[in-house]
Amino acid sequence: MKTTRLFLLKVSFQRPHSPYDPPERFLDFIKDRAGDDLANIDDAWKGETGEWDYTFSSEAAPSLCNMSNSDTYCGDTTTYNVRNSRAHYYASLYFVDHWAGKVLDKFNTYGYQDNSLVIFVADHGDSLGDHNLWRKGYPTQQVATVPMFLRWPESMDSKVSVDRGYVSTKLTELRDILPTIADFGGSNITSEVDGSSLLDLVRQPDTADWRTVIDIELTSCGFNETLTFNALTDGEIKYVYWWYEGIENIFNLTADPYEQTDLRPTEAALANKWRSKLVAMFEEEGRDSYWVRNGTLQTQKTCWYMDYLPNYPCWSTPIVDYVVADGEEYTFACSTA
């Protein structure tokens, strides 16, 4: 198969998403190297908890974080259970690596690598016992950061100012993928979408007009509505605002990459600085008093049932379920119901 036409090939793997059920041969490969009781599995998770995440422990929340419930998202368990979960996750990663390699081998057989851009990325990480958490849906580094690899063709070498293997420290996100693909195809769509072209980071990494802060937000209506948060980070400091409870966390990702120490209790000035950044972002986006009022972040004992994205309609019939004090009416309709 040989073509001179432009084409886009997307290859998606369901794993390593839960359930962690890799093919047996891949699991055997990992367990054969993990040793007795899987003792060679990285025990870094033992240092990935701090006082702030005690709330996710089985002791602190015996009903919610009950590890005997197969559907729970939090709780602490035995060392072996954590290692075994990680062994299955690593085997799933090995499975993806194996088949991604086969796809690229065939891709190269047809000679497409000479003039094609390859992007390797994931949608989210998973908690594997770190912070007494499991699954996805948290603002922690374990979940919120993903691999983002880009291989440009040799035909682009004259336009690239970095060596292959270059690692950028810029803040990138999944919204950058579409404008990157469009850019490679000869179209600049950055004025029409929220993302930026990753190619700018290899063409002119020192002068590229790039974001310095990135926002993270999630609500989990169908899972546990307390997992509702907004967060900001510049790659060094991360500020988290838990919208359901009105609780704040601040982490120094440079000094504390495993987010063991919440700086909020001791760094009031730092908290004020980053809270102001989030307020300013909400106001710039035009978010109303449901989110911020008179410069103050709001909090509600609910998840965001609002259907405020016009191109992402509700699955269920909208119902009015909340009216703010100033008389503004909001329609609740969970898009993930």
Side-chain angles (χ1 to χ4, degrees), residues 293-337:
R293 187 183 304 169
N294 299 324
T296 301
L297 296 174
Q298 300 300 289
T299 179
Q300 298 292 336
K301 296 290 186 181
T302 182
C303 61
W304 307 319
Y305 275 105
M306 292 182 301
D307 178 42
Y308 63 93
L309 299 177
N311 296 317
Y312 194 80
C314 302
W315 292 359
S316 57
T317 302
I319 58 172
V320 175
D321 194 40
Y322 179 78
V323 179
V324 298
D326 57 10
E328 294 183 58
E329 191 176 85
Y330 291 89
T331 300
F332 279 36
C334 188
S335 295
T336 58

Side-chain angles (χ1 to χ4, degrees), residues 241 243 275-276 278-284 286-300 306 322-330:
Y241 181 71
W243 196 79
R275 187 185 312 112
S276 297
L278 185 58
V279 167
M281 186 191 79
F282 281 174
E283 292 177 340
E284 182 180 356
R287 299 202 191 194
D288 51 35
S289 55
Y290 189 80
W291 300 91
V292 59
R293 187 183 304 169
N294 299 324
T296 301
L297 296 174
Q298 300 300 289
T299 179
Q300 298 292 336
M306 292 182 301
Y322 179 78
V323 179
V324 298
D326 57 10
E328 294 183 58
E329 191 176 85
Y330 291 89

Side-chain angles (χ1 to χ4, degrees), residues 20-282:
Y20 303 150
D21 56 353
E24 185 176 14
R25 66 185 185 279
F26 293 97
L27 182 60
D28 288 344
F29 179 89
I30 297 297
K31 286 193 169 184
D32 286 347
R33 288 153 180 78
D36 295 338
D37 295 324
L38 308 179
N40 294 334
I41 296 291
D42 184 11
D43 273 351
W45 62 274
K46 291 182 177 179
E48 292 170 6
T49 55
E51 293 182 7
W52 72 272
D53 51 25
Y54 173 72
T55 184
F56 299 123
S57 68
S58 299
E59 182 179 56
S63 178
L64 179 63
C65 301
N66 182 357
M67 291 301 293
S68 64
N69 177 3
S70 61
D71 211 30
T72 191
Y73 72 88
C74 56
D76 42 297
T77 184
T78 66
T79 295
Y80 179 82
N81 283 345
V82 175
R83 289 174 176 169
N84 191 41
S85 294
R86 293 193 170 205
H88 282 71
Y89 190 82
Y90 297 159
S92 294
L93 294 177
Y94 178 33
F95 168 77
V96 171
D97 182 70
H98 174 82
W99 283 102
K102 283 187 171 293
V103 171
L104 288 174
D105 284 345
K106 183 62 67 173
F107 191 78
N108 294 343
T109 297
Y110 291 125
Y112 293 148
Q113 79 279 6
D114 296 335
N115 55 7
S116 298
L117 179 71
V118 178
I119 302 173
F120 184 90
V121 70
D123 57 346
H124 61 79
D126 259 11
S127 283
L128 296 164
D130 47 290
H131 304 296
N132 300 312
L133 292 169
W134 302 88
R135 305 184 178 189
K136 61 181 179 179
Y138 321 112
T140 57
Q141 291 296 92
Q142 176 85 352
V143 174
T145 57
V146 296
M148 178 82 86
F149 296 103
L150 182 147
R151 182 205 178 274
W152 64 86
E154 292 185 3
S155 58
M156 268 188 63
D157 280 350
S158 62
K159 302 177 182 178
V160 171
S161 61
V162 299
D163 295 330
R164 293 188 183 275
Y166 167 75
V167 178
S168 174
T169 58
K170 302 291 187 181
L171 295 169
T172 60
E173 59 174 326
L174 299 182
R175 287 182 294 188
D176 295 330
I177 293 178
L178 177 58
T180 300
I181 294 172
D183 185 7
F184 184 72
S187 297
N188 184 344
I189 63 170
T190 53
S191 63
E192 305 171 51
V193 297
D194 291 328
S196 301
S197 173
L198 297 168
L199 296 180
D200 287 343
L201 299 183
V202 296
R203 286 186 298 225
Q204 46 187 5
D206 297 328
T207 60
D209 182 15
W210 205 259
R211 67 180 68 90
T212 56
V213 174
I214 197 168
D215 65 295
I216 312 166
E217 67 175 10
L218 178 135
T219 188
S220 186
C221 302
F223 186 34
N224 187 290
E225 61 186 18
T226 64
L227 297 177
T228 300
F229 61 82
N230 295 90
L232 288 177
T233 182
D234 60 1
E236 297 181 3
I237 300 295
K238 181 191 289 181
Y239 170 82
V240 182
Y241 181 71
W242 296 90
W243 196 79
Y244 186 91
E245 298 284 358
I247 296 173
E248 297 173 311
N249 300 134
I250 302 178
F251 303 101
N252 185 326
L253 301 179
T254 302
D256 180 27
Y258 290 123
E259 298 166 299
Q260 292 176 265
T261 303
D262 178 15
L263 299 177
R264 175 63 184 87
T266 58
E267 299 283 353
L270 189 63
N272 292 339
K273 173 183 176 181
W274 280 88
R275 187 185 312 112
S276 297
K277 287 177 180 287
L278 185 58
V279 167
M281 186 191 79
F282 281 174

